[in-house]
Amino acid sequence: MRRGAERTGEVTQSGVREDGKRQNVRHEPDPDEERPTPSDRPSDGDDDAPAGDAGTPEAEGLPSASTPDTEGPSATSTSTPDAESLPTGSASTPDAEGPSTTSTPGPDSPPSTKEPDSPGRDDAAGGDGGAGGRTRGGPAPRRRRLLKWSALLLAVLILGTAGAGYLYYRHLNGNIKKDALNLGDSKVAAPTPNAAGQTPLNILLIGSDARDSKENQKLGGARETFGATPLADVQMLLHLSADRTNMSVISMPRDTLVKIPKCTDPDDGKVYEATQGRTMTNQSLGHGGPGCAVATWQELTGIHIDHFIMVDFAGVVSMADAVGGVPVCVDANIHSRTSDGKGSGLKLEKGTSYIQGEQALQWLRTRYGFEDGSDLARAKAQHMYMNAMVRQLRDNMTLSSPNKLRRLAEEATRAMTVDPGLDTVKKLYDLSDELRKVEPKRITMTTMPNRYVGARVEPTEDAEQLFRLVREDIALDGKDKARKPAAEQGSTDPAAADDEIAVQVRNGTRTDTLAAARGRAGTVAGLLKEEGFTQAVADTTGSWSEDRTVVRYPSADLEGDAQRLAKVLGVSLSSVQRSTDVSGITLVVGADWREGADYKAPEENDKTPKSAEALNGADDKACMHVSPAFVWD
């Protein structure tokens, strides 16, 4: 009996001064600045109101495991923490899951030779997204309880330097909130281990714009949206290579047009059907939770996602205070405020400033004043901040104080919503241990290549190139050792007979500079019939554009058929993609096959596209360009 082709969803104070350098401006500004009502919110309205002043709370302490000072006892001591700590047990009786305070490496310690538990393959805990849904454990959150995305990497790095007694460890675990990993019906297969048995890690970092508390409302503005469905307004995919030598980060603009797949809320079972047509990617968070953002990313990119970490407004203030500031640079005096009151309120002098607290949040949210005023410029500023934070931690090591470490551990654990695979300090420690293996010079920050569609953007052909590099674990900095061509892995799903495989053929030969080649879908459909695919038909109902010829299929039971079609045509298996954009086997004839009967696959290009605007993690000279309209004297 013929296999079906059902469509399925799938599865994110000034300081030292120095002159900066001017950045080139590429993108046009987003004209849609008004935040809509809570019932219909395609944009974030994040700059509409100035953020309020946020004080600095006193935080409990946690002794350092390797860098004691006069502020607290050494973590190697078996005595209990000082009086500022929450109640703890003996340091020699850690939880079965947690690291001992006598063996936890400090910030200056080399990686342990002991093999950590893998944080990337906890399938039973959260790999299928079906474990338990969201839980809310631990003490009630403090005024500054959550951590914005930009402090995420800081959090996982710092958690690895903090030791704790049994009760305090349990307390920190109770702070962490969790949610299901993947709310979609379908999954993307995990990557095949390399020759050494290593696999990469892919983590979706989500920044929610939730105005679900007085603190978040005060910091985020847009009071009319208090309590409304949150949006995933920052989405970054962090890829840690299998050999742990390099890290790549891809930011997706919040207004990227995508198809959100069918998602099911794990708390109440509510089903959110797949969107009809494309919608802004930041709306995926409102379709059941962060697991739908994961499903949306997997659907778009074909990249298997192992974990997510979600944070929101208030935590970045307290976390930036805790680390003592992060250096950022602007090439002119900037004040992000328009005549009608919009803007983040950021005000800095030209050169380098160390920002912290609320000012750090302003930097991360600034659009008005940076380059062309778009989300793309904001993403660049976020990359600069994230890189600077990592360098600050690794180079200056300002966190040797036990009180600072305790405070960071407390704030970080209160800040996060994670999948079940990261829901304990032990698991976060293991992840931080993996991340610390990468030097800043091997970290590459990028933005998904895109083009404008009205006021929104969509991925370009270069975006697929970027996604492919991540799928194939190719370093975006181009510093990988020469690799032998990998053998293509065929599907275990057997193909039907050629004359039983229904194929739709689309003309995707249109480019930014060339019109579509006339009649190409009909011509290629005819060629397929001659090859024995008698059910091939031309689809002339729409207009498509593909840089390379691709074969798409909607569900796992059609994978073998799709690969059979690709083999007959000579299309690389890397161009056979699972997608709910199609309802059956679909061949999109790309701009690389505008004429002729025989398809010649182009040579693989493993270079990061220039349109991704890559920023190296060790670049401490990067400086944001200030729009002249926002310069003050």
Side-chain angles (χ1 to χ4, degrees):
M1 181 169 64
R2 184 72 185 95
R3 291 181 298 279
E6 291 184 357
R7 184 173 181 179
T8 61
E10 183 173 334
V11 340
T12 170
Q13 336 96 312
S14 295
V16 180
R17 294 276 310 280
E18 62 181 43
D19 291 336
K21 58 184 180 180
R22 185 180 181 87
Q23 301 279 325
N24 292 327
V25 178
R26 181 174 68 88
H27 301 287
E28 294 298 325
D30 183 345
D32 186 5
E33 292 297 335
E34 296 301 323
R35 186 182 187 92
T37 61
S39 61
D40 181 17
R41 302 168 57 208
S43 178
D44 71 345
D46 54 352
D47 295 330
D48 290 352
D53 180 40
T56 304
E58 292 300 322
E60 293 82 358
L62 179 64
S64 168
S66 61
T67 53
D69 62 11
T70 57
E71 295 187 65
S74 166
T76 58
S77 170
T78 56
S79 61
T80 58
D82 59 48
E84 291 182 39
S85 325
L86 292 179
T88 66
S90 169
S92 62
T93 56
D95 184 278
E97 291 187 305
S100 169
T101 55
T102 60
S103 61
T104 303
D108 291 316
S109 303
S112 171
T113 56
K114 181 180 179 181
E115 188 68 19
D117 294 343
S118 172
R121 293 290 172 264
D122 192 358
D123 293 336
D128 64 1
R134 286 186 285 274
T135 62
R136 298 294 183 264
R142 283 192 269 175
R143 181 170 176 262
R144 292 178 173 176
R145 62 183 177 83
L146 293 177
L147 171 65
K148 189 65 176 169
W149 72 269
S150 59
L152 163 68
L153 197 52
L154 165 68
V156 292
L157 287 170
I158 294 307
L159 284 172
T161 70
Y166 176 74
L167 292 179
Y168 193 67
Y169 172 76
R170 292 288 298 268
H171 163 73
L172 293 178
N173 282 346
N175 286 346
I176 303 170
K177 296 170 289 297
K178 66 181 178 181
D179 210 331
L181 175 61
N182 181 358
L183 305 187
D185 288 344
S186 300
K187 312 295 182 288
V188 171
T192 302
N194 62 16
Q198 302 165 305
T199 54
L201 274 174
N202 295 306
I203 306 164
L204 185 62
L205 316 181
I206 304 171
S208 165
D209 78 340
R211 272 79 168 178
D212 56 357
S213 68
K214 290 183 178 180
E215 179 69 3
N216 278 326
Q217 183 182 355
K218 180 180 179 181
L219 294 170
R223 291 170 174 78
E224 72 279 5
T225 65
F226 182 83
T229 301
L231 302 172
D233 273 354
V234 176
Q235 298 179 42
M236 290 185 175
L237 181 67
L238 186 155
H239 172 82
L240 182 62
S241 66
D243 61 8
R244 304 306 190 249
T245 63
N246 64 89
M247 185 188 305
S248 305
V249 178
I250 302 177
S251 290
M252 185 189 296
R254 62 176 180 169
D255 55 356
T256 301
L257 296 175
V258 297
K259 293 200 71 173
I260 300 176
K262 176 184 175 182
C263 293
T264 303
D265 191 315
D267 288 341
D268 58 15
K270 180 177 179 179
V271 175
Y272 296 83
E273 297 295 340
T275 57
Q276 298 299 312
R278 301 186 300 177
T279 189
M280 287 171 58
T281 184
N282 63 355
Q283 296 187 33
S284 60
L285 184 58
H287 289 222
C292 196
V294 169
T296 301
W297 266 82
Q298 292 196 155
E299 178 66 29
L300 176 67
T301 67
I303 298 170
H304 173 81
I305 296 178
D306 301 285
H307 301 292
F308 75 81
I309 302 178
M310 183 175 74
V311 290
D312 67 5
F313 287 142
V316 68
V317 176
S318 54
M319 289 300 294
D321 283 343
V323 301
V326 174
V328 296
C329 177
V330 289
D331 67 359
N333 298 339
I334 180 176
H335 187 199
S336 176
R337 181 69 73 216
T338 65
S339 59
D340 58 353
K342 293 180 179 179
S344 70
L346 178 70
K347 189 172 185 178
L348 293 175
E349 295 180 351
K350 176 181 177 180
T352 298
S353 299
Y354 280 75
I355 60 174
Q356 61 188 76
E358 191 172 332
Q359 197 171 42
L361 178 62
Q362 290 173 336
W363 174 276
L364 296 166
R365 301 182 62 234
T366 293
R367 296 169 58 197
Y368 298 106
F370 283 160
E371 300 193 351
D372 62 358
S374 71
D375 280 336
L376 307 180
R378 176 162 58 183
K380 184 182 294 185
Q382 292 168 349
H383 293 164
M384 289 184 185
Y385 182 94
M386 197 168 178
N387 282 340
M389 184 185 296
V390 173
R391 293 194 303 268
Q392 188 81 345
L393 288 169
R394 297 182 68 104
D395 298 340
N396 299 331
M397 297 314 301
T398 60
L399 302 177
S400 58
S401 163
N403 286 334
K404 288 182 179 179
L405 290 172
R406 286 198 297 258
R407 180 177 177 184
L408 281 167
E410 187 74 32
E411 296 293 344
T413 53
R414 287 183 180 275
M416 300 178 181
T417 299
V418 301
D419 67 274
L422 292 177
D423 64 354
T424 67
V425 174
K426 166 77 164 52
K427 294 173 183 177
L428 289 167
Y429 169 80
D430 289 343
L431 175 59
S432 74
D433 194 48
E434 297 294 282
L435 295 173
R436 283 201 306 269
K437 295 175 182 178
V438 181
E439 296 290 333
K441 64 183 179 181
R442 296 300 312 276
I443 298 174
T444 305
M445 301 278 183
T446 65
T447 298
M448 181 197 76
N450 60 83
R451 55 176 163 249
Y452 277 99
V453 181
R456 311 304 179 200
V457 299
E458 66 181 5
T460 63
E461 294 80 8
D462 283 354
E464 174 52 35
Q465 166 76 352
L466 199 63
F467 300 153
R468 182 183 67 81
L469 295 179
V470 171
R471 287 196 300 266
E472 298 180 11
D473 197 25
I474 299 172
L476 298 187
D477 62 5
K479 296 179 181 179
D480 272 343
K481 295 180 180 179
R483 304 189 313 164
K484 295 180 180 180
E488 292 191 326
Q489 184 69 37
S491 173
T492 57
D493 172 48
D498 292 352
D499 61 358
E500 294 181 8
I501 300 176
V503 181
Q504 286 190 331
V505 183
R506 294 176 175 176
N507 184 351
T509 58
R510 174 175 58 84
T511 70
D512 292 338
T513 58
L514 296 173
R518 293 176 61 85
R520 197 65 184 144
T523 298
V524 174
L527 294 172
L528 285 176
K529 289 181 178 179
E530 293 176 4
E531 292 287 343
F533 292 89
T534 57
Q535 294 190 48
V537 296
D539 180 1
T540 60
T541 60
S543 176
W544 299 273
S545 177
E546 291 286 346
D547 184 51
R548 299 177 59 173
T549 297
V550 295
V551 178
R552 295 194 172 104
Y553 62 99
S555 54
D557 61 323
L558 294 177
E559 182 181 37
D561 295 353
Q563 290 193 2
R564 168 59 184 167
L565 175 63
K567 181 178 180 180
V568 170
L569 292 174
V571 174
S572 169
L573 291 189
S574 65
S575 294
V576 180
Q577 304 167 355
R578 185 170 174 177
S579 173
T580 54
D581 282 342
V582 297
S583 58
I585 304 292
T586 303
L587 170 66
V588 185
V589 182
D592 58 348
W593 196 14
R594 293 177 62 87
E595 58 186 10
D598 297 324
Y599 175 70
K600 295 182 179 179
E603 294 184 4
E604 295 286 5
N605 176 11
D606 290 346
K607 293 183 178 181
T608 299
K610 290 183 178 180
S611 57
E613 299 186 351
L615 178 67
N616 186 269
D619 184 358
D620 59 0
K621 303 300 183 183
C623 204
M624 285 303 296
H625 171 58
V626 178
S627 169
F630 293 88
V631 173
W632 58 275
D633 296 325

